[in-house]
Amino acid sequence: ESQKSGLSAAVDLKMGLPHVTIPKKLPLIVVADGVLLPGSTIRIPVTTVKNINLVRSRLTSGSKLASTIIGIVTKEPGKESKVNALHEIGTAGVVIQVTGTNWPRPSYSLLVTGLCRFRLQSIIQEHPYPVAIVTQLDDIKDITDENDEQPTELVSEFKEAAQKLINLLDISVPAVAKLKDLVERVPSRQLADVVAALVRATLPERLQVLDAIDVATRLRVTLPLLLRHIQRLKDVREAGSEEGNKENRIVHISRGGRNLLPDPDSLDDSENEVAELEEKIKATNMPEEVHKAAVKELGRLKRMAQHMPDYSMTRNYLDLIVELPWSITVKETCNIRKAREDLDADHYGLQKVKRRVLEYLAVRQLRGDLKGPILCFVGPPGVGKTSIAKSIATTLGRPYCRMSLGGVSDQHDIRGHRRTYIGAMPGRVIQALRNVKVKNPVMLLDEIDKLGTGIHGDPGAALLEVLDPEQNSTFTDTYLNLPFDLSQVLFVATANSLSTIATPLLDRMEVIHVPGYTQEEKVMIGQLHLLPKQLQEHGLSSDILDMSKESIATIIGEYTREAGVRTLERKIGAVCRAIAVQVAEKRRDHDEAKTSEEMITEAEDRDRRTEQHADETREIELRQEVGEVPQQSGINLSKLREHMDLPVIVDPKLIYDILGPPIFQSGLAGRVSVPGVAVGLAWTPVGGEVMVVEASRTVGDSGLTLTGQLGSVMQESAKIAMSWVRQHAFLLQLDKDFMKDEEIHMHFPAGAINKDGPSAGVTILTVLVSLLSNRCVRSDVAMTGEITLNGVVLPVGGIKEKLLAAHRAGLTTVVIPAANKKDLEDIPNSVLNEIEVVLVNTVEEVLQAAFDDFTDILGENDDGVPAKPLPSKL
Ligand code: ADP
């Protein structure tokens, strides 16, 4: 008989085990508390990293299941501390089913049928999963011999006992009938294994059966276990009939038989699980309708075999039901004065934002309900949107939870998957509620502008349902399939930009703009908030690390380029980490030598760590290193002082040492010093940006070429600018056919941002005039504004962000449309004092501000003769 067909027959135990020759090299699954015996089938939960590796690379990657034999070895009990303590004898098994879920966390479980014993010779590989050289033990030869043998007395006695066991069971259960069949038909050499797998036994007892290679010994070891089980069943039956609690018994026994689930622990597990769930359902205060559904599902679960995929699905579902906060609310405390104090304590500046938040809270309190609009904070990253939302939660005394919407393009992400779907899970709203454990949290809808639309329905529409006060008291998640009341959740949203938020959603929200910070504001935030926070996170204190304002300003100016303070916070963190490591090293150098015991623990720690992901390790090491500091620094500060000067003064020089060469330097001046270059100001979702626009003339005939990933509006601006220049060629003293045989190439660098919008109009025009008139634009001027064909400058958006960006870049003059004058109210004085803002109505005024010698360009004569010759061609 060929090995292959033999293997597929392995599943059908009635025929007895096939004669298999197992490979010499076997991948190993190491189990902590189970034993697989030949001829039995057990379910093995796969949770350790190595076991998961094995399953992923050997069992789920398309290879045929039946052709995959693996070794199952048990960890030697009582020797947990030793790394490689595996039981010497293991069982080769064939995997007949792999099930996996990704939720609530990834895990697999294997259904494995034991084939034969083997002895471990050597482990030849440890990673990503262990592989061993093995010797097969249950020999094929003695099988054939034995078949001819007359049953010995021991075998007869054993069979008789097994028969007794079966008689005690309810034969009408199909599994028991099958078992009966099994006991009658399997060859006697396998009988002990099959029975030992079925009866209750401890781990050492099972290992003893496994170790009994000789068939007679095996029968002898197993017989007492069998007899003990029979006795126990009798006891149960007596107790059961006394209490009339017969049902219980049948459930217990029949389930054991049906699954051929030999591990009594796992049997107990499933029973415990069901009982536990039942308790929880009773204890959870849920609506009538939900309770009914839960009881019904529990009934289904009770009837299910534990290894069926449906079992874990139903259990996960019930777990969700009992964990959801159906009726748990926290009492809200709303005190406007306290709210103001909280907001002020956590945030520097942001006066306007805080005022709006307080107004909102006050109105809410007066109205006494939640049906108002949803607050939506809009602004670049790192300006404190999330942080304000958290403060709101704190001040109201409600727990905070966050639901990230970035990249969500499937409505099922919000609303959940139908339960019949493989890997189904509830939507994010329900998941967030499950985690936060109360019904009335503050729920942050993060990055609501990044909501996509995919092929699986519009997540925006699903979100609307969540937010709509008319509907959300009976929000029905598809997975849960029961209504959950969301009406008490306080939703707050954040977005980088309003332009991509769908109108119906926008209608539900009250938008609060959170603009970027000025340099001064950032320094203050750094000093008052970020530095103390980072110090604490790294177990340091101001006694150990002292960072001056000047140093913070250096970090802001030379290592960050952002509207918010996120990179700033990270860089401050990096400095703290560097100092913390230094301190930790110093301390270690001077510590007394460690005891050998400590060193062993450390070595073991390291061993454990190598099991984890390689790149995680470094991080963990750092953290541990740093994590050691707090206790020591608190206690031993003076001792530490003996070895190093404290506090460590972080001056700009040290900043360069730690952070490396500066990343950004404003090199604007150098770039603007040729004709055909001007500085524009752009608004992006991540704040204002300074954009250096360049143009050059080359021989060619395609007129105007634009590069730099421009949108169509921007291209049109360029055409309008070009038309204006042509129209005014005479005024600009350009030759009539100045573009003949020439083309102008204009480029908008900083390619990563998509650029669109009309506000680059004035910049494009200035670049053209500069190029064609061969004059440099003033290097300290930046500009923004839309132009019309007739040279009128129209207002644009994002003035505050743009001005802050210009200020960051060290520019001192900013040209903006006169109609934007009102926007200047929002600009902090510290910026206005350092920037001259030129308000313009027409293109001529723009050019006047941009060129020192604009009158020269125009020429002063009115008779139509150019005052100067045209700039030469290339
Ligand atoms: P966003 O949600 O806007 O991207 P975050 O709320 O995550 O930004 O803020 C980033 C970090 O900057 C947080 O640690 C936050 O506490 C801090 N931060 C931002 N603005 C301020 C401020 N005005 N005062 C104090 N800390 C701030």
Side-chain angles (χ1 to χ4, degrees):
E1 202 180 51
S2 83
Q3 189 177 325
K4 226 179 183 172
S5 59
L7 268 181
S8 45
V11 183
D12 187 4
L13 292 173
K14 272 192 269 180
M15 312 304 293
L17 277 180
H19 310 162
V20 205
T21 313
I22 60 167
K24 287 228 151 26
K25 261 199 255 170
L26 276 186
L28 299 182
I29 287 272
V30 179
V31 292
D33 49 8
V35 178
L36 174 66
L37 289 166
S40 69
T41 302
I42 64 168
R43 175 156 294 272
I44 300 175
V46 179
T47 47
T48 66
V49 180
K50 285 185 181 178
N51 285 356
I52 288 179
N53 287 343
L54 188 150
V55 172
R56 289 205 173 135
S57 56
R58 298 282 296 229
L59 302 178
T60 58
S61 55
S63 63
K64 250 181 149 180
L65 277 185
S67 65
T68 314
I69 303 184
I70 57 173
I72 309 292
V73 280
T74 309
K75 259 200 189 138
E76 196 68 77
K79 293 189 188 166
E80 287 88 355
S81 55
K82 287 226 177 106
V83 188
N84 276 332
L86 297 180
H87 196 73
E88 203 192 355
I89 298 193
T91 312
V94 59
V95 179
I96 55 178
Q97 187 193 48
V98 182
T99 44
T101 70
N102 274 323
W103 186 83
R105 65 199 95 76
S107 78
Y108 296 98
S109 104
L110 303 179
L111 204 58
V112 189
T113 300
L115 296 175
C116 65
R117 293 173 167 73
F118 61 74
R119 188 184 298 280
L120 279 180
Q121 294 301 343
S122 58
I123 306 276
I124 54 168
Q125 167 190 324
E126 278 284 359
H127 296 281
Y129 50 85
V131 173
I133 301 275
V134 302
T135 334
Q136 182 164 359
L137 287 179
D138 298 320
D139 212 1
I140 306 166
K141 275 215 197 81
D142 68 45
I143 298 168
T144 26
D145 295 349
E146 198 205 346
N147 275 351
D148 301 333
E149 259 176 40
Q150 283 301 308
T152 60
E153 210 173 295
L154 183 61
V155 172
S156 317
E157 189 186 346
F158 197 92
K159 281 201 166 160
E160 212 172 286
Q163 200 56 53
K164 240 191 215 159
L165 173 71
I166 289 163
N167 291 342
L168 276 172
L169 301 176
D170 182 352
I171 198 76
S172 67
V173 177
V176 177
K178 204 159 147 201
L179 181 68
K180 181 171 187 282
D181 217 24
L182 201 65
V183 171
E184 279 163 10
R185 296 173 71 160
V186 291
S188 50
R189 66 179 174 101
Q190 281 171 21
L191 197 56
D193 282 337
V194 170
V195 169
L198 271 171
V199 300
R200 276 178 188 239
T202 62
L203 184 62
E205 281 167 349
R206 285 228 169 80
L207 284 175
Q208 221 181 351
V209 178
L210 186 69
D211 290 344
I213 294 155
D214 169 58
V215 178
T217 321
R218 208 182 297 157
L219 286 168
R220 227 169 283 128
V221 174
T222 314
L223 190 55
L225 303 181
L226 176 59
L227 295 174
R228 189 180 68 192
H229 195 86
I230 292 172
Q231 191 53 47
R232 186 176 293 168
L233 273 186
K234 277 185 182 153
D235 293 349
V236 169
R237 164 167 282 193
E238 271 162 32
S241 59
E242 268 168 30
E243 292 162 24
N245 191 3
K246 207 173 158 202
E247 196 191 15
N248 234 352
R249 180 184 59 90
I250 290 175
V251 167
H252 166 78
I253 293 166
S254 68
R255 197 172 316 119
R258 188 186 323 161
N259 297 347
L260 281 181
L261 251 190
D263 189 351
D265 298 335
S266 73
L267 245 181
D268 285 352
D269 271 2
S270 91
E271 268 173 12
N272 286 344
E273 252 169 33
V274 172
E276 234 172 71
L277 274 172
E278 198 159 9
E279 269 312 300
K280 281 188 191 157
I281 291 174
K282 265 189 215 141
T284 315
N285 182 4
M286 43 180 113
E288 185 56 36
E289 181 184 359
V290 178
H291 186 260
K292 254 190 217 152
V295 170
K296 196 170 137 218
E297 286 296 323
L298 187 73
R300 283 188 57 208
L301 189 71
K302 279 184 185 165
R303 291 192 301 274
M304 259 181 234
Q306 199 187 13
H307 68 82
M308 280 166 57
D310 266 10
Y311 180 89
S312 64
M313 254 170 60
T314 308
R315 203 201 50 214
N316 283 345
Y317 178 72
L318 280 167
D319 275 344
L320 174 67
I321 289 192
V322 296
E323 279 175 31
L324 274 177
W326 296 101
S327 56
I328 307 172
T329 52
V330 290
K331 200 169 166 322
E332 180 178 305
T333 52
C334 188
N335 174 337
I336 297 298
R337 181 168 333 128
K338 176 171 171 287
R340 178 175 295 135
E341 283 165 13
D342 283 351
L343 282 172
D344 279 339
D346 293 346
H347 301 95
Y348 177 85
L350 294 176
Q351 293 313 337
K352 210 169 160 184
V353 176
K354 289 183 204 164
R355 201 172 62 229
R356 291 281 301 277
V357 170
L358 290 175
E359 282 164 10
Y360 173 86
L361 292 177
V363 170
R364 234 188 100 248
Q365 196 183 14
L366 287 179
R367 288 179 35 152
D369 71 9
L370 269 172
K371 296 205 172 166
I374 286 144
L375 279 186
C376 178
F377 297 106
V378 180
V383 292
K385 301 182 295 294
T386 316
S387 171
I388 296 173
K390 278 189 196 158
S391 284
I392 294 181
T394 320
T395 211
L396 294 178
R398 293 175 176 231
Y400 160 89
C401 62
R402 174 171 166 274
M403 180 172 137
S404 171
L405 296 173
V408 168
S409 62
D410 183 343
Q411 61 149 332
H412 298 299
D413 277 350
I414 311 268
R415 209 182 261 152
H417 288 281
R418 202 166 289 287
R419 207 142 54 90
T420 45
Y421 179 92
I422 296 171
M425 53 174 112
R428 296 188 186 205
V429 184
I430 292 295
Q431 281 185 45
L433 285 166
R434 171 193 211 165
N435 292 334
V436 76
K437 297 191 178 72
V438 299
K439 201 180 166 186
N440 62 340
V442 169
M443 189 182 287
L444 184 72
L445 307 172
D446 212 4
E447 306 198 300
I448 202 167
D449 56 330
K450 304 282 191 311
L451 209 60
T453 35
I455 45 168
H456 298 296
D458 178 10
L463 198 59
L464 260 183
E465 224 171 90
V466 171
L467 299 182
D468 185 357
E470 305 300 327
Q471 296 184 46
N472 71 6
S473 58
T474 55
F475 171 73
T476 304
D477 181 280
T478 321
Y479 176 89
L480 189 59
N481 204 17
L482 291 166
F484 191 95
D485 179 11
L486 298 179
S487 65
Q488 296 187 44
V489 179
L490 177 67
F491 292 102
V492 178
T494 75
N496 287 148
S497 135
L498 287 180
S499 60
T500 50
I501 305 181
T503 330
L505 267 180
L506 206 51
D507 281 350
R508 294 230 52 78
M509 299 193 289
E510 173 167 344
V511 172
I512 298 183
H513 285 279
V514 191
Y517 297 113
T518 63
Q519 171 94 7
E520 287 72 26
E521 282 173 331
K522 285 187 190 175
V523 173
M524 293 309 287
I525 294 173
Q527 201 180 27
L528 297 177
H529 294 276
L530 306 181
L531 181 59
K533 197 156 101 189
Q534 289 300 320
L535 283 177
Q536 199 197 357
E537 256 172 45
H538 290 87
L540 300 170
S541 69
S542 52
D543 293 335
I544 300 179
L545 189 158
D546 181 7
M547 196 185 297
S548 64
K549 262 192 182 179
E550 195 193 352
S551 306
I552 295 179
T554 305
I555 299 182
I556 297 169
E558 300 184 30
Y559 294 90
T560 72
R561 185 185 261 182
E562 55 176 355
V565 291
R566 197 167 284 173
T567 318
L568 174 62
E569 184 169 20
R570 264 207 296 274
K571 295 285 173 190
I572 293 181
V575 173
C576 290
R577 202 147 50 232
I579 304 293
V581 170
Q582 243 182 37
V583 171
E585 273 168 5
K586 270 273 160 21
R587 186 176 56 74
R588 185 172 304 169
D589 286 352
H590 296 274
D591 262 1
E592 301 85 20
K594 291 206 164 70
T595 62
S596 53
E597 208 172 289
E598 273 174 324
M599 290 208 272
I600 289 172
T601 333
E602 252 175 41
E604 277 177 2
D605 273 355
R606 217 167 305 130
D607 276 351
R608 220 170 298 138
R609 257 179 275 147
T610 44
E611 293 211 352
Q612 314 229 357
H613 236 267
D615 51 4
E616 270 174 27
T617 321
R618 172 86 198 112
E619 177 87 345
I620 291 168
E621 259 167 17
L622 258 182
R623 274 169 202 273
Q624 289 193 339
E625 221 128 72
V626 170
E628 285 174 69
V629 185
Q631 307 134 11
Q632 296 294 337
S633 67
I635 305 161
N636 275 340
L637 206 57
S638 56
K639 193 173 160 206
L640 203 58
R641 273 214 181 89
E642 291 168 18
H643 306 300
M644 63 195 299
D645 286 336
L646 289 181
V648 179
I649 308 281
V650 180
D651 55 11
K653 194 183 151 296
L654 190 53
I655 298 268
Y656 295 131
D657 286 347
I658 295 174
L659 297 181
I663 302 169
F664 301 109
Q665 271 164 336
S666 53
L668 281 181
R671 293 172 68 186
V672 185
S673 59
V674 286
V677 180
V679 181
L681 294 172
W683 180 91
T684 71
V686 296
E689 275 281 349
V690 167
M691 185 166 57
V692 182
V693 183
E694 304 171 324
S696 68
R697 312 163 81 168
T698 52
V699 182
D701 52 10
S702 55
L704 189 62
T705 309
L706 300 166
T707 53
Q709 299 207 26
L710 310 182
S712 56
V713 179
M714 205 129 158
Q715 310 223 7
E716 283 167 11
S717 298
K719 285 189 189 132
I720 294 172
M722 201 64 208
S723 297
W724 189 89
V725 172
R726 278 183 209 274
Q727 208 182 338
H728 296 82
F730 177 73
L731 205 67
L732 297 169
Q733 308 180 51
L734 300 176
D735 199 359
K736 240 202 194 113
D737 40 29
F738 66 97
M739 285 285 288
K740 195 160 173 257
D741 302 330
E742 260 192 81
E743 68 180 45
I744 294 178
H745 179 179
M746 195 178 289
H747 181 61
F748 298 74
I753 11 170
N754 274 325
K755 299 159 212 91
D756 203 10
S759 71
V762 292
T763 320
I764 297 172
L765 188 101
T766 308
V767 169
L768 283 174
V769 171
S770 162
L771 181 74
L772 295 169
S773 63
N774 207 17
R775 283 168 197 275
C776 292
V777 175
R778 277 171 53 183
S779 63
D780 57 346
V781 178
M783 56 192 76
T784 182
E786 178 176 356
I787 52 170
T788 69
L789 272 178
N790 291 324
V792 176
V793 178
L794 301 177
V796 294
I799 292 293
K800 173 158 187 194
E801 286 86 349
K802 289 173 177 173
L803 272 172
L804 294 184
H807 184 242
R808 271 205 300 279
L811 295 157
T812 52
T813 309
V814 177
V815 178
I816 65 168
N820 279 115
K821 186 168 181 212
K822 59 177 192 326
D823 295 319
L824 294 177
E825 285 169 17
D826 291 346
I827 317 285
N829 279 334
S830 62
V831 172
L832 287 182
N833 290 341
E834 289 176 22
I835 285 189
E836 186 195 343
V837 178
V838 183
L839 299 167
V840 294
N841 287 304
T842 64
V843 168
E844 281 87 354
E845 286 168 12
V846 174
L847 297 176
Q848 215 145 26
F851 295 97
D852 282 330
D853 44 5
F854 183 61
T855 41
D856 283 357
I857 297 178
L858 285 184
E860 305 224 27
N861 44 350
D862 285 329
D863 55 16
V865 182
K868 283 189 180 167
L870 259 181
S872 60
K873 291 184 182 174
L874 281 171

